[in-house]
Amino acid sequence: MFGGGRQRGEINVLLCGDPSTAKSQLLTYVHKIAPRGIYTSGKGSSAVGLTVYVTKDPETKEIVLESGALVLSDRGICCIDEFDKMDDNTRVILHEAMEQQTVSVAKAGIIAQLNARTAILAAANPVKSRYDPKLSVVDNIKLPPSLLSRFDLIYLVLDKQNEAADRRLANHIVSLYSTLGDQRPADQGENVQSTELLRTNMIDRDFFASYISYARKHIKPKLSDTITMDLVQEYVRMRSLGNSKKTITATPRQLESMIRIAEALAKMRLSEWVEKPDVDEAVRLIKHALQQSATDPTTGEINMDIITTGQTKTSAERLTAITDFIRNIQKDYYDKVSLHGLKYGNLLDFINAKAKDGALGDKDSQVTESEFRDALRALEEDNVISIFGNSRAPTIRFVQ
């Protein structure tokens, strides 16, 4: 997957969901079978710990660079648990590494750019511990959209009650504590039989790691003209999944993800060419991920704006209604409020009083303080208003 020139060759995957759904165990096992990789926790990782840090050699006293997790995982995989617990400074570092696959350094007179051609497998927990299906994935895990959009696949790992799945999981957990040499009890034939089936179907870990290493090193799948056309057609179909032209159901990043995943599937088969089943499976995986992570909880439609901007279609329309209402206040009352401005609380109360009469298109729908601040921020960026004074209760003045 490194044959794509300047394009990113590695697949980034985010697992998000309820606690106790084995996300950390998945990360640990992937780290164990990966020929090259690092396992770290977002809660205990700093920006320099992920990239590089400057230190002095104790013997020569020269300034040297020590590699962090992303650089050490070059041409491998970096497993990051507790991804949602990272601070903002650490998250900023990941933007370059996840897209350009490099880490830029400008410290202590050292200016360098190091390779970080690593796939990132991350796990995150919802802010309220349990995943709320009524909220979008952005609202559930509170990660910036600019970072979320760099993941090729975002999967929800939810703890749902299912008797068959619960039985398989229980059998597996019990098998971890059982001893192969013990005699099978006569009254547990079904459960023990299931446990033995799990054991006999396991692949040797060393062989699996060697297989992955060989495929990564020697197999460089190519795209034929026919497959190229298939990829284009599938992307166009994904773009037309929505019921409205205003709803974006796929972006060029999904097309790039489709190519990367199809190439990875061809590598798994040790094939020199990407074939139609690889494209079909890549499309299936992406669609399934989008149905989980990019579905607007209010409309039930796939909307990529949730990932790219952090807003659902409903919340975007709501923000527009609030900003338009404030713009109209400027037109109607400019002479009265231009000199001294409007108090934050007074303006919010005035908007909510009008909202009861349906001024925002939805009667009795009160504007929350979060929505109000988002609207003020958007208007300030458009140079419609200026905000000054106390940050908690500022004064708003209209710009002429």
Side-chain angles (χ1 to χ4, degrees), residues 113 172 384:
Q113 190 176 66
H172 173 68
V384 176

Side-chain angles (χ1 to χ4, degrees), residues 28-48:
T28 302
Y29 196 77
V30 168
H31 170 248
K32 287 180 179 178
I33 63 174
R36 180 185 179 96
I38 296 292
Y39 180 95
T40 185
S41 172
K43 190 173 184 179
S45 299
S46 62
V48 294

Side-chain angles (χ1 to χ4, degrees), residues 384-396:
V384 176
I385 63 172
S386 60
I387 301 175
F388 58 94
N390 190 315
S391 59
R392 294 185 178 180
T395 299
I396 297 97

Side-chain angles (χ1 to χ4, degrees), residues 265-301:
L265 291 166
K267 279 191 174 187
M268 289 172 61
R269 297 184 294 103
L270 302 183
S271 173
E272 295 292 338
W273 291 92
V274 175
E275 298 179 0
K276 185 64 166 63
D278 301 324
V279 176
D280 293 340
E281 179 63 8
V283 172
R284 188 191 70 83
L285 290 170
I286 291 175
K287 283 184 177 179
H288 184 68
L290 290 178
Q291 286 171 353
Q292 288 189 317
S293 62
T295 298
D296 189 332
T298 57
T299 64
E301 295 181 3

Side-chain angles (χ1 to χ4, degrees), residues 25-278:
Q25 291 295 325
L26 283 171
L27 265 64
T28 302
Y29 196 77
V30 168
H31 170 248
K32 287 180 179 178
I33 63 174
R36 180 185 179 96
I38 296 292
Y39 180 95
T40 185
S41 172
K43 190 173 184 179
S45 299
S46 62
V48 294
L50 286 176
T51 54
V52 293
Y53 60 94
V54 178
T55 185
K56 276 190 176 183
D57 187 284
E59 295 181 358
T60 64
K61 304 302 181 183
E62 292 181 351
I63 295 177
V64 295
L65 291 177
E66 293 287 346
S67 299
L70 293 173
V71 179
L72 290 174
S73 301
D74 185 39
R75 293 190 179 273
I77 187 166
C78 185
C79 300
I80 306 176
D81 202 1
E82 303 286 347
F83 194 76
D84 54 301
K85 303 298 190 298
M86 287 183 175
D87 58 42
D88 293 336
N89 293 332
T90 307
R91 290 172 183 167
V92 169
I93 295 296
L94 288 168
H95 286 79
E96 179 189 356
M98 293 181 68
E99 193 62 38
Q100 281 75 43
Q101 297 209 295
T102 57
V103 170
S104 298
V105 185
K107 299 175 181 178
I110 298 176
I111 300 176
Q113 190 176 66
L114 306 176
N115 287 326
R117 295 161 295 186
T118 175
I120 291 180
L121 174 61
N125 290 319
V127 291
K128 297 181 180 179
S129 295
R130 298 287 295 183
Y131 192 90
D132 188 351
K134 296 180 181 179
L135 301 177
S136 68
V137 65
V138 176
D139 293 329
N140 267 288
I141 60 178
K142 296 297 182 183
L143 287 176
S146 58
L147 193 58
L148 278 177
S149 63
R150 283 167 166 76
F151 284 99
D152 298 278
L153 299 170
I154 301 175
Y155 283 119
L156 302 184
V157 187
L158 305 182
D159 187 9
K160 295 182 179 180
Q161 184 178 359
N162 182 288
E163 185 176 350
D166 293 343
R167 186 177 297 278
R168 286 197 303 270
L169 177 60
N171 281 329
H172 173 68
I173 293 175
V174 170
S175 71
L176 299 177
Y177 292 87
S178 63
T179 305
L180 287 172
D182 287 350
Q183 186 177 359
R184 182 179 69 177
D187 59 342
Q188 294 182 358
E190 181 182 350
N191 288 345
V192 175
Q193 193 174 27
S194 301
T195 302
E196 290 177 350
L197 183 62
L198 284 169
R199 287 174 177 153
T200 55
N201 286 341
M202 288 199 304
I203 301 174
D204 180 73
R205 191 170 68 189
D206 292 336
F207 170 78
F208 194 25
S210 299
Y211 187 93
I212 295 172
S213 181
Y214 177 86
R216 289 176 61 87
K217 185 176 181 180
H218 297 287
I219 308 300
K220 310 292 179 184
K222 296 181 286 291
L223 302 176
S224 64
D225 293 340
T226 303
I227 292 300
T228 301
M229 292 300 299
D230 288 337
L231 288 165
V232 172
Q233 290 175 0
E234 290 294 346
Y235 173 66
V236 173
R237 289 194 190 101
M238 290 179 67
R239 289 279 291 180
S240 60
L241 287 175
N243 296 327
S244 170
K245 291 184 178 180
K246 294 181 180 180
T247 302
I248 299 174
T249 54
T251 68
R253 279 186 171 169
Q254 273 65 57
L255 177 57
E256 292 177 347
S257 297
M258 198 187 307
I259 296 170
R260 281 191 287 268
I261 296 171
E263 289 178 344
L265 291 166
K267 279 191 174 187
M268 289 172 61
R269 297 184 294 103
L270 302 183
S271 173
E272 295 292 338
W273 291 92
V274 175
E275 298 179 0
K276 185 64 166 63
D278 301 324

